Amino acid sequence: MSETALKAPGATAPSGDANRWKALVFIALAQLMVVLDATIVNIALPAAQQDLGISDGNKQWVITAYALAFGGLLLFGGRIADLWGRKRTFVLGLAGFAAASALGGAATTGAMMFGARALQGVFGALLAPAALSLLAVMFTDAKERAKAFGIYGAIAGGGGAVGLILGGFLTEYLDWRWTFFVNVPFAVVAAAGAYFVIREPAGARNRSPLDIPGVILSTLGLVTLVYGFTRAESDGWGDSVTVGMFVASVVLLLAFVLVEARVKAPLLPLRVVTDRNRGGIYLSLGLAIIGMFGLFLFLTYYLQIVKGYSPVKTGFAFLPMVAGMITGSTQIGTRLMTRVPARLLMGPGFLFAAFGMLLLTQLEIDSSYGALLLPAMVLLGLGMGTAFMPAMSLATQGVEPRDAGVASAMVNTSQQVGGAIGTALLNTIASSATTSYVKDHIAGAAAKPQQDLVKLQGMVHGYSTAIWVAVGILAVAALIAFTFVNAGRPGTAPAASGSGDGIEDEVPVPVVAH
């Protein structure tokens, strides 16, 4: 059916919005700010801890407060975007994120810092799904959509590594507070640009009453799940509170599903996640993030502790991965997305990344950056960039406009939960392997230099053991992509998706004014 035939008289297709490419600049800037924040604060944490007198036991809350608020409120944020309008939610999220960042930079106590980080998470949960859903409803032409999501995917994948570089520079040459203050100009520029440039298509809001039971159950369920994994990292998997958190999260999330199946206007319409393609994307993306986040953590420690790199040098060491992600997303993914089915980009992309990980299982104390780390990071970046781009596009393609916000929130939720699981799971595996190695080898080291060497060898052994697990997780992500994602390339006949709400692989129907 032609696009003209689908329009109501006087309606304007979103693809006709002349400002959509300008809007992409500000959406991408906002996304970069959110992704940067996930890693930039990690670099600044030791200096901030010392300045504010935060104890070792409480320092995790600088990270955890953000993760809990952001991960727990993402679905609610996506629904608010559908209800209030994505542009309004986007601008509000930016304004709030800037204010929370300024508060964090000005913090004088640990409690003030924890509160600022929680507020950043709250407004980030509004901002992230609004940004992705704006792209979903503004770019509907297949080729333009491929380019737009290629840029977005490159930022989403590579922004974390850029955060390590920027965080290193700001902490080393200015002050840790600038890792917070730097968000303010980002947010002001993005909000001003969005206010004047973004024109959200008419008739795309979901004005149904807010599902309060769904909001409460999903928020509590996700918060307890993320906190369970965060606590497992510090207190162990057998800790009674950790186990209690996991049990509570399962009960709460099952109750959430039951409620969503019965209410008239659900927070998360089950049609969004039960679709074969979208379900496969959410699952494979979450698994891939588990492996990727664990690797960021291990390589950062390896380069700084084992190799003795400075924070700035460590950040620059990640640049090949960033370059690989940008190339994979904007050159490979964008060029091929309209020519081949998504699974033939996602599956091979995850396998490529797994091969890069496989190289890193050979990590040793004296491993060469040029001979081992460089090719591994390039392969990992190329693979992830190639896979992320079609995944993010297809996750929001064909979804009803009124569900675009919550479908986008599910992409962010799978990434956030995947990141929490990856950090806790792989770090626990690495720590156990390190402890075991040191216990077995320390007896043969009489002098202190030999003992220090055994400890470093144990640390690297722990990293390589955990990276083996990450390789397996990426292989499973590839299998899921090949098995579940059966949508053809845009422009072909729709593939059966296994549900009544299948993703159509034609260019989505333009939203018309009501």
Side-chain angles (χ1 to χ4, degrees), residues 430-513:
S431 298
S432 299
T434 296
T435 302
S436 177
Y437 182 94
V438 172
K439 185 179 178 181
D440 291 343
H441 293 80
I442 198 72
K448 190 176 185 302
Q450 290 176 310
Q451 291 176 352
D452 290 341
L453 180 62
V454 167
K455 288 176 183 176
L456 283 179
Q457 288 172 334
M459 188 183 295
V460 175
H461 171 73
Y463 296 159
S464 61
T465 302
I467 290 170
W468 270 111
V469 176
V471 170
I473 291 170
L474 279 170
V476 173
L479 180 63
I480 290 170
F482 278 125
T483 306
F484 283 86
V485 181
N486 66 347
R489 64 181 178 82
T492 63
S497 64
S499 82
D501 181 45
I503 295 178
E504 293 186 359
D505 303 300
E506 302 171 287
V507 179
V509 177
V511 181
V512 296

Side-chain angles (χ1 to χ4, degrees), residues 89-110:
T89 306
F90 182 74
V91 173
L92 176 64
L94 283 167
F97 200 91
S101 298
L103 184 66
T108 54
T109 65

Side-chain angles (χ1 to χ4, degrees), residues 35-83:
V35 176
L36 283 177
D37 203 69
T39 51
I40 197 171
V41 174
N42 290 6
I43 296 286
L45 183 54
Q49 180 187 355
Q50 187 175 0
D51 268 12
L52 300 178
I54 301 171
S55 69
D56 284 339
N58 286 333
K59 70 177 181 180
Q60 64 162 333
W61 285 102
V62 177
I63 307 299
T64 304
Y66 178 83
L68 292 180
F70 187 65
L73 292 170
L74 272 168
L75 283 177
F76 179 56
R79 179 65 179 86
I80 288 294
D82 289 333
L83 179 66

Side-chain angles (χ1 to χ4, degrees), residues 247-278:
V247 171
S249 69
V250 170
V251 171
L252 287 164
L253 292 174
L254 281 175
F256 171 67
V257 172
L258 292 174
V259 167
E260 298 308 274
R262 286 165 172 75
V263 297
K264 288 181 66 176
L267 173 71
L268 175 63
L270 295 183
R271 61 180 174 269
V272 171
V273 290
T274 55
D275 176 87
R276 175 174 178 163
N277 288 282
R278 276 192 290 273

Side-chain angles (χ1 to χ4, degrees), residues 179-251:
T179 61
F180 287 89
F181 289 143
V182 74
N183 288 329
V184 177
F186 272 99
V188 169
V189 171
Y195 182 80
F196 290 108
V197 169
I198 291 178
R199 298 288 180 270
E200 189 177 350
R205 288 195 197 177
N206 184 345
R207 300 182 186 275
S208 302
L210 195 59
D211 170 22
I212 300 298
V215 169
I216 294 170
L217 288 170
S218 69
T219 302
L220 289 177
L222 289 170
V223 163
T224 53
L225 181 63
V226 172
Y227 183 59
F229 280 108
T230 303
R231 189 177 174 89
E233 184 185 358
S234 57
D235 294 73
W237 296 91
D239 175 70
S240 58
V241 177
T242 301
V243 174
M245 288 292 113
F246 286 135
V247 171
S249 69
V250 170
V251 171

